[in-house]
Amino acid sequence: MPGAIYAEGLVKTFGDVKALDGVDLDVPQGTVLGLLGPNGAGKTTAVRCLTTLLRPDRGRAVVAGFDVLEHPNEVRRSIGLSGQFAAVDEYLTGRENLQMVGRLYQMRAGAAKARAAELLDRFDLADAADRTAKTYSGGMRRRLDLAAALVVSPPVMFMDEPTTGLDPRNRQLLWEVIKRLVSGGTTLLLTTQYLEEADHLAHDIAVVDHGRVIARGTSDELKARTGGERVEVVVHEREHITVAREVLSGFGKGETTVEQHTRKLTVPVTGGAKLLAEVIRELDSRGIEIDDIGLRRPTLDDVFLSLTGHVAEAKAEESEAEGQGQAEGQGQAEGQSEKETVR
């Protein structure tokens, strides 16, 4: 039986750009799927199709038990959406923003007021509840936006790059909010460019590139596909990089990568701590001074690099923004904004 979020063969094109090229997804109830990929991979387009903001050209999608194309209103009543940018009214207070969303959902005034107070406290915004949103920091706006998506306690949530641009403290705070949300039984589809975020939050990860799901599994399963361990070396002098690369290549089981600006070299190996000691001895015999050396497991960054040939944070040549203008007209026909359509 399909999960709380299910997609089969989703295709969406904008002119010559194929934003989605046959995407398949299945997210069990009460779990988090991390949709991982660079800008332009198709993540936001997938979210827009699943939340009724765009009609896919082909394919089928079911969210919270309702077909997205056949029963869009039922889907909208069952989901919450926090888009890439915090969609709050800057001239209303935090409390007024949440009460307004509740009233748009036809909640009684008293119920909307009580729910707003509950969410303001839950998202650590109670002290700023009666300040206008334009005085909020970026992290506060993000939390207010997420609170607005939860006014009616939806069973399914979509969060499109929720922590982009946040400082580390606010990112950690939002992660804790997301964890509590999922522990309460909510199903979440989370798009992100941050590998650490997917590693930290997602039960399952789908790697997307050029509109296709190119890999799927848990974080550990994806790392196992890359295989082995890594030796990382930071040399003290930039002119030693070439010789250090030669040394590491003699021990490695794959290509040695170099980050010139940090003077860091990385190579996949087998042999564990014993091999690490041999590497240190060889570097020392060649007169190469090092600032740091270590042995580590593959990261999701390694996975993404091995699957796509570029890191996840890199800018893709074909940005989804190329199709934004065409998408906007259709999105407005289905709703004035993500907030009004979904919430």
Side-chain angles (χ1 to χ4, degrees):
M1 186 174 178
I5 303 171
Y6 176 79
E8 182 179 356
L10 288 185
V11 174
K12 184 64 183 178
T13 59
F14 301 108
D16 295 331
V17 178
K18 185 168 280 191
L20 299 180
D21 191 14
V23 168
D24 298 326
L25 298 171
D26 193 359
V27 189
Q29 184 175 352
T31 66
V32 180
L33 174 68
L35 206 58
L36 183 67
N39 288 343
K43 305 186 302 296
T44 295
T45 302
V47 168
R48 285 175 170 268
C49 288
L50 291 167
T51 56
T52 76
L53 293 170
L54 283 176
R55 288 182 65 90
D57 299 329
R58 293 199 304 276
R60 176 172 178 258
V62 177
V63 175
F66 299 105
D67 188 285
V68 169
L69 295 179
E70 295 179 4
H71 304 288
N73 289 334
E74 286 79 0
V75 170
R76 292 166 189 160
R77 294 188 187 101
S78 305
I79 66 175
L81 169 62
S82 180
Q84 282 190 5
F85 307 101
V88 299
D89 190 318
E90 293 189 343
Y91 294 97
L92 296 180
T93 66
R95 190 186 310 278
E96 289 168 343
N97 265 282
L98 298 185
Q99 289 179 356
M100 177 186 68
V101 172
R103 296 295 282 158
L104 288 172
Y105 269 115
Q106 300 181 355
M107 294 175 66
R108 292 184 180 276
K113 183 177 180 179
R115 182 61 173 161
E118 177 188 344
L119 288 169
L120 288 164
D121 185 62
R122 179 176 175 183
F123 283 84
D124 196 24
L125 291 169
D127 290 343
D130 297 312
R131 283 167 40 194
T132 56
K134 66 181 178 181
T135 68
Y136 284 16
S137 68
M140 293 169 70
R141 289 188 189 202
R142 209 65 176 112
R143 298 202 302 276
L144 181 61
D145 180 72
L146 181 55
L150 296 174
V151 166
V152 292
S153 303
V156 178
M157 272 289 298
F158 293 86
M159 300 181 69
D160 193 7
E161 301 190 13
T163 62
T164 297
L166 296 188
D167 60 57
R169 179 184 176 278
N170 275 303
R171 183 172 296 156
Q172 289 283 347
L173 183 59
L174 197 54
W175 284 0
E176 292 306 314
V177 169
I178 292 170
K179 284 181 179 179
R180 291 198 300 269
L181 185 66
V182 175
S183 68
T186 300
T187 304
L188 173 62
L189 188 148
L190 169 77
T191 79
T192 182
Q193 295 183 58
Y194 296 117
L195 298 149
E196 180 190 8
E197 187 160 272
D199 213 352
H200 194 75
L201 295 174
H203 297 95
D204 211 9
I205 296 170
V207 181
V208 182
D209 198 28
H210 297 296
R212 295 183 177 219
V213 176
I214 59 175
R216 174 80 186 257
T218 65
S219 177
D220 286 340
E221 287 169 348
L222 291 176
K223 291 173 185 177
R225 289 182 56 169
T226 305
E229 298 167 311
R230 304 286 189 272
V231 168
E232 284 187 351
V233 178
V234 178
V235 298
H236 185 68
E237 301 290 345
R238 197 175 303 278
E239 54 264 31
H240 288 160
I241 288 177
T242 301
V243 179
R245 184 173 190 169
E246 180 184 324
V247 171
L248 291 179
S249 296
F251 290 97
K253 300 298 180 181
E255 183 180 356
T256 302
T257 59
V258 178
E259 296 178 14
Q260 292 283 345
H261 63 292
T262 59
R263 308 184 307 283
K264 183 170 77 173
L265 299 90
T266 305
V267 64
V269 298
T270 57
K274 182 179 178 181
L275 179 124
L276 184 63
E278 294 176 8
V279 171
I280 293 171
R281 282 195 295 268
E282 182 63 21
L283 290 169
D284 185 59
S285 71
R286 302 284 285 271
I288 301 172
E289 185 179 353
I290 60 175
D291 290 341
D292 193 20
I293 188 168
L295 189 69
R296 65 167 176 80
R297 293 183 61 209
T299 65
L300 283 178
D301 223 340
D302 298 319
V303 172
F304 205 93
L305 184 61
S306 68
L307 289 171
T308 69
H310 53 81
V311 296
E313 288 84 357
K315 299 289 185 183
E317 291 181 5
E318 294 181 353
S319 170
E320 289 179 49
E322 293 182 41
Q324 193 67 30
Q326 297 176 54
E328 209 163 287
Q330 188 166 358
Q332 288 175 351
E334 296 175 358
Q336 292 300 309
S337 68
E338 289 182 5
K339 282 282 190 286
E340 292 170 354
T341 302
V342 177
R343 294 178 186 159

